[in-house]
Structures are given as structure tokens and as C-alpha cells.
């Protein structure tokens, strides 16, 4: 699959999702980047901004299986992963798969479940498999998790620990649509749900091929050094208690490769790193005494680091 083919695939996806989600081209593009990198998304925003609709639109566009799970305090790990059920007729235990056995999983309000249930997703997200009673079950590829959180309500929630936040490839927010796009959305929803009109523009086989091709996008030594300087700056910054992990460095690299491919290039530029930096790294920082929210403080620090870190001149070769 050539880079121009990946660019066309992403464009078709963005246009398909854009029929339903108006005025959020940047968010849609970054969701596509995560999918093509094989990563997972933490999607934060207030209720009603279109988080569920966005994920449903994506699933329809790539013709993938989709499951939505509402996380609540009484949700058990086996409610997600499945369990071995005793069959009285055969006298044997049979594994009954849980909702994680899908290709696109929407973990709605993940912070309302207990840490025990939250942690049951870790193996699924990192290893693409589920282990129940010592037996390992492989999940179908691509396996893509979008977890949502409401950043306003904190009563009755269990904040995700740093180790689990680090498993998410990107942290994104929807935000309100611009007025003209919301007016357009109202007009379309008066006639029915535009979600019903979405038909597949690609399939999961093409997504898997694109994921492999993106890994071949060239990253020069100069750009790699630029990436490492940015990461090192997060670890030595006087307002950061916990900097970016090596897993974060790899995610940063992968996201920049995907961004370059979506631009139609087979090599990464420093601008590609800048385009994805805050969304890939902000949730991996633990800031000291932040007056803003942790995410806002982290993004401000990353923007400062980007301004202060020297950019390589000849980086595309």
C-alpha cells in the first residue's frame, strides 16, 4: 500500500465520519491516526458532544464490529472479558466471550468503574488478548478501544492511575461545534439520523495493511534526535514530577509517522511531531502543583518545550 493510498483511505474515513460529526475535522483526523497506529484513545468531554456518535460512525465506515459498554461501579471484570460457564449437559466449562471480543470497543465513562474492572482492560489493550482461568483468548484485529470520561463530574468516579493513562495512545476532547456547524447539524437531524446513512468506505483488512505500511515511513536520525530532546525535556522540567515514558516515546514516533503518511509523505518532518505532540504526550505527564487541570498544565508545558527545543534544519533525508 503506497503512501498516497493511505492518504486517500484516511480522507475517505474523515469525509464519512464528517457527514455526522460537524466542524471537528482535527479530532476526526487524530482518531484516524490512532486507528492506523493500532493505539487507543481516551476521549474526554461533557455529555452530548458526540463521543458515542463519533465512534459509531467510525465503526460503520470501516465495517468493523462494534460494542458499547457503560461502565458503572458494579461492573465486574468478567462482565467485560467473559467467563467460563458450566454446561450441565456436557459436564464441562465453556468459555462465554465478553463484550471486549469486538473490533471497536467504546468504554463509556471508564472512570465510573472500580480500579479492578478498569485494570481488566490493560491486557486487552496492550497484548490484544484475554486470559481467563489460565486460558488465553486472542482478540480479533484490529482491536481499538475508545474510553470516555466526563471531566466535570468527579463524584462517584475512580480516576485512572498514571500506569493506565500511559496505555492510551492519545487523549482527545471533542468540544462544542462552531455555530454554523451546529446549525447544519440541526437541519440534518430534523430529517432523521445521518448516522444511518453511513456505509463502509473501507474494511478492516485495509486498515491492517495501512498499519503495517505506516511503520515503514522514514524517520531520519535528526528527527529522532529532535523527538528524544522533547521527551528528555519533559523528564527534567522543573514543573514536571513524572515525565514521558519510553512507551510514550514510541507512541510519539508512531503518531508522527502516521501524520506524515496522511500528508502524503514517506518521511517525517519536525512539523509532524509538533502536530501530534500535545495529544500523545500530555496525559503522560504528572505536573507539580498545577493551578489548571493536569491536562491543561501538561499541554502548556509541552507547548513551552516545543518553543524552546531547537528544530533540525535538514530533517527529511
Amino acid at each position: 500500500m503506497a503512501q498516497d493510498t493511505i492518504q486517500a483511505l484516511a480522507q475517505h474515513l474523515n469525509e464519512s465520519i464528517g457527514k455526522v460529526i460537524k466542524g471537528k475535522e482535527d479530532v476526526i483526523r487524530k482518531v484516524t491516526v490512532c486507528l492506523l497506529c493500532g493505539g487507543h484513545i481516551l476521549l474526554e468531554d461533557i455529555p452530548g458532544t458526540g463521543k458515542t456518535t463519533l465512534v459509531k460512525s467510525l465503526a460503520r465506515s470501516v465495517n468493523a464490529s462494534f460494542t458499547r459498554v457503560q461502565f458503572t461501579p458494579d461492573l465486574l471484570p468478567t462482565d467485560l472479558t467473559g467467563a467460563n460457564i458450566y454446561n450441565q449437559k456436557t459436564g464441562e466449562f465453556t468459555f462465554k466471550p465478553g463484550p471486549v471480543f469486538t473490533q471497536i470497543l467504546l468504554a463509556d465513562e471508564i472512570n465510573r468503574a472500580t480500579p479492578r474492572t478498569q485494570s481488566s482492560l490493560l491486557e486487552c489493550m496492550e497484548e490484544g488478548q484475554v486470559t481467563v482461568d489460565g486460558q488465553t483468548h486472542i482478540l480479533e484485529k484490529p482491536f481499538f478501544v475508545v474510553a470516555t470520561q466526563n471531566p466535570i463530574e468527579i463524584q462517584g468516579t475512580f480516576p485512572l492511575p498514571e500506569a493506565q493513562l500511559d496505555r492510551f495512545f492519545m487523549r482527545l476532547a471533542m468540544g462544542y461545534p462552531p455555530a454554523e456547524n451546529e446549525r447544519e447539524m440541526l437541519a440534518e437531524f430534523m430529517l432523521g439520523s445521518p448516522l444511518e446513512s453511513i456505509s463502509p468506505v473501507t474494511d478492516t483488512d485495509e486498515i491492517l495493511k495501512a498499519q503495517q505500511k505506516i511503520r515503514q515511513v522514514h524517520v531520519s536520525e535528526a528527527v529522532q534526535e529532535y523527538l528524544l530532546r522533547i521527551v528528555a525535556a519533559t523528564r527534567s522540567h522543573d514543573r514536571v514530577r513524572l515525565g514521558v515514558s519510553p512507551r510514550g516515546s514510541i507512541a510519539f514516533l508512531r503518531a508522527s509517522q502516521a501524520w506524515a503518511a496522511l500528508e502524503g509523505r514517506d518521511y517525517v518532518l519536525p512539523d509532524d511531531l509538533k502536530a501530534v505532540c500535545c495529544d500523545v504526550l500530555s496525559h503522560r505527564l504528572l505536573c507539580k502543583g498545577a493551578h489548571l487541570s493536569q491536562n491543561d498544565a501538561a499541554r502548556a508545558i509541552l507547548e513551552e518545550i516545543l518553543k524552546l527545543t531547537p528544530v533540525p534544519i535538514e530533517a527529511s533525508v
Side-chain angles (χ1 to χ4, degrees):
M1 179 181 286
Q3 300 305 328
D4 57 348
T5 308
I6 295 177
Q7 186 183 34
L9 183 151
Q11 184 176 348
H12 291 153
L13 272 179
N14 296 345
E15 290 174 353
S16 178
I17 300 171
K19 294 177 182 178
V20 181
I21 305 298
K22 305 293 184 181
K24 295 297 172 184
E25 291 79 9
D26 184 63
V27 174
I28 295 171
R29 183 184 176 98
K30 287 171 180 173
V31 169
T32 303
V33 166
C34 288
L35 176 65
L36 296 181
C37 289
H40 309 286
I41 297 175
L42 182 61
L43 194 56
E44 287 192 332
D45 222 314
I46 60 174
T49 51
K51 300 185 293 293
T52 301
T53 304
L54 170 64
V55 185
K56 284 184 175 180
S57 301
L58 174 65
R60 284 176 176 262
S61 298
V62 300
N63 200 25
S65 57
F66 168 78
T67 304
R68 175 184 177 275
V69 179
Q70 181 66 48
F71 278 57
T72 55
D74 60 348
L75 190 73
L76 298 175
T78 51
D79 294 332
L80 284 176
T81 60
N84 286 315
I85 307 298
Y86 183 70
N87 189 324
Q88 292 184 341
K89 291 183 179 180
T90 62
E92 298 178 347
F93 283 91
T94 304
F95 179 68
K96 182 179 180 182
V100 297
F101 285 83
T102 187
Q103 291 176 310
I104 297 182
L105 174 68
L106 175 60
D108 214 0
E109 295 188 295
I110 188 174
N111 57 335
R112 291 202 175 278
T114 62
R116 181 186 176 195
T117 302
Q118 291 174 6
S119 64
S120 66
L121 272 179
L122 293 181
E123 184 184 13
C124 307
M125 293 168 61
E126 190 70 15
E127 308 293 337
Q129 65 184 33
V130 170
T131 302
V132 177
D133 296 337
Q135 291 185 332
T136 298
H137 307 272
I138 304 300
L139 297 172
E140 187 178 0
K141 294 182 179 181
F143 178 66
F144 185 51
V145 175
V146 180
T148 71
Q149 287 191 146
N150 179 356
I152 306 301
E153 292 185 18
I154 59 173
Q155 186 174 0
T157 62
F158 302 87
L160 296 174
E162 283 70 31
Q164 191 158 347
L165 283 173
D166 199 41
R167 305 293 177 111
F168 288 97
F169 193 85
M170 276 191 186
R171 184 184 203 166
L172 301 174
M174 293 288 291
Y176 293 117
E180 61 273 16
N181 295 118
E182 191 163 11
R183 187 178 297 110
E184 182 183 355
M185 182 187 70
L186 288 176
E188 291 186 356
F189 271 86
M190 279 194 294
L191 302 173
S193 174
L195 182 63
E196 301 300 323
S197 65
I198 290 185
S199 56
V201 296
T202 185
D203 56 37
T204 53
D205 287 339
E206 288 299 311
I207 296 297
L208 292 173
K209 290 176 184 177
Q211 288 179 353
Q212 292 300 319
K213 189 64 181 179
I214 280 171
R215 293 172 180 262
Q216 300 173 22
V217 173
H218 178 67
V219 186
S220 69
E221 291 186 9
V223 171
Q224 291 181 45
E225 186 62 33
Y226 179 56
L227 181 152
L228 291 172
R229 285 200 299 268
I230 294 171
V231 169
T234 69
R235 298 169 181 170
S236 60
H237 199 282
D238 58 2
R239 284 185 288 142
V240 175
R241 197 162 71 220
L242 180 67
V244 175
S245 67
R247 182 191 287 119
S249 302
I250 295 170
F252 195 13
L253 176 70
R254 290 276 179 259
S256 67
Q257 289 176 299
W259 195 268
L262 265 59
E263 292 290 325
R265 283 184 273 102
D266 61 357
Y267 57 88
V268 174
L269 293 176
D271 284 346
D272 300 321
L273 292 173
K274 292 180 180 180
V276 300
C277 178
C278 291
D279 297 302
V280 175
L281 301 184
S282 64
H283 60 289
R284 305 175 196 270
L285 301 187
L286 189 59
C287 305
K288 299 176 182 177
H291 298 294
L292 303 170
S293 71
Q294 278 287 333
N295 191 45
D296 290 340
R299 294 181 79 91
I301 290 171
L302 287 168
E303 289 171 1
E304 174 191 319
I305 289 173
L306 288 175
K307 289 179 181 178
L308 296 176
T309 305
V311 179
I313 304 301
E314 296 181 2
S316 64
V317 295

